[in-house]
């Protein structure tokens, strides 16, 4: 006779919540996407950041740049990178952005100069807001921001409207040059 605490009952009690979670996650991954869509040709990307959409515009991998020498300090300027994708004509435009975590958010070019008129989004073409090109800068941040922290940012598009989302600060990675050398392997 099996006791109330026998191995099969304990096993079922442990596995039932796990099975329920696996089934829920599997079901959530099936079917149509709600409003986010997929970017054609993007493939598998392991990038940091947050994803959201408004109208036909998708914002993908939005993140604050990785802090290099500790957290971003209050009063500093923090780069924000993202991928923008307009799914259908007519072309839309990112005209501005704002954040309660900064005095202002500016669209800047490669040299850090302000970009007038915003960023045009050509339908069915990925537009990168990234280092070396056009991107956003949170000016005079009002708080210390560490890797892994989130800040609210609102993107203003000419046609699609305004999209507010929580954007993470990229978690720092270790500099490979300052890492200790690999341990020697033994020759056998």
């Amino acid at each position: 006779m099996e006791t109330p605490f026998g191995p099969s009952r304990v096993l079922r009690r442990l596995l039932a919540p796990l099975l329920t979670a696996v089934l829920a996650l599997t079901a959530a991954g099936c079917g149509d996407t709600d409003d986010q869509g997929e970017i054609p040709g993007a493939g598998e990307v392991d990038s940091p950041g947050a994803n959201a959409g408004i109208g036909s515009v998708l914002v993908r991998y939005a993140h604050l740049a990785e802090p290099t020498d500790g957290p971003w300090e209050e009063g500093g300027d923090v780069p924000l990178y993202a991928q923008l994708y307009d799914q259908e004509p007519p072309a839309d435009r990112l005209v501005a952005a704002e954040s309660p975590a900064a005095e202002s958010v500016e669209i800047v070019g490669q040299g850090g100069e302000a970009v007038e008129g915003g960023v045009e989004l050509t339908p069915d073409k990925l537009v990168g807001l990234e280092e070396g090109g056009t991107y956003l800068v949170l000016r005079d941040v009002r708080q210390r921001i560490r890797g892994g922290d989130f800040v609210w940012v609102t993107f203003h598009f000419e046609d699609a409207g305004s999209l507010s989302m929580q954007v993470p600060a990229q978690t720092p990675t270790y500099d490979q040059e300052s890492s200790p050398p690999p341990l020697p392997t033994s020759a056998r």
Side-chain angles (χ1 to χ4, degrees):
M1 177 174 186
E2 188 176 312
T3 65
F5 299 103
S8 63
R9 177 165 284 205
V10 171
L11 188 58
R12 278 184 276 164
R13 280 192 173 164
L14 292 174
L15 290 180
L18 178 62
L19 182 59
T20 302
V22 168
L23 291 173
L25 287 172
T26 302
C30 296
D32 296 335
T33 58
D34 51 351
D35 70 331
Q36 306 304 315
E38 292 298 323
I39 299 172
E44 291 296 318
V45 179
D46 184 21
S47 295
N51 302 315
I54 184 166
S56 66
V57 175
L58 303 176
V59 176
R60 293 292 184 256
Y61 317 119
H63 66 282
L64 301 180
E66 174 183 336
T68 54
D69 298 323
W72 295 105
E73 295 296 336
E74 184 176 339
D77 294 341
V78 180
L80 185 154
Y81 305 129
Q83 301 288 318
L84 305 178
Y85 186 79
D86 192 352
Q87 300 178 88
E88 56 191 53
D92 207 335
R93 175 178 297 278
L94 173 67
V95 293
E98 63 184 316
S99 174
E103 187 66 32
S104 64
V105 178
E106 191 172 31
I107 303 171
V108 299
Q110 183 174 350
E113 72 285 349
V115 172
E116 298 300 322
V119 178
E120 185 171 348
L121 308 180
T122 304
D124 291 326
K125 183 177 179 190
L126 192 63
V127 175
L129 299 178
E130 54 200 6
E131 187 176 19
T134 302
Y135 58 98
L136 299 174
V137 176
L138 278 71
R139 300 281 189 201
D140 192 18
V141 292
R142 296 178 172 145
Q143 64 195 48
R144 179 180 235 203
I145 302 171
R146 295 178 177 85
D149 287 351
F150 287 82
V151 299
W152 281 100
V153 176
T154 301
F155 296 84
H156 299 285
F157 297 97
E158 193 169 66
D159 296 324
S162 297
L163 171 67
S164 294
M165 59 191 291
Q166 285 191 320
V167 175
Q170 185 175 350
T171 304
T173 56
Y174 292 102
D175 183 344
Q176 296 299 324
E177 292 177 11
S178 65
S179 297
L183 295 174
T185 56
S186 60
R188 292 185 187 197

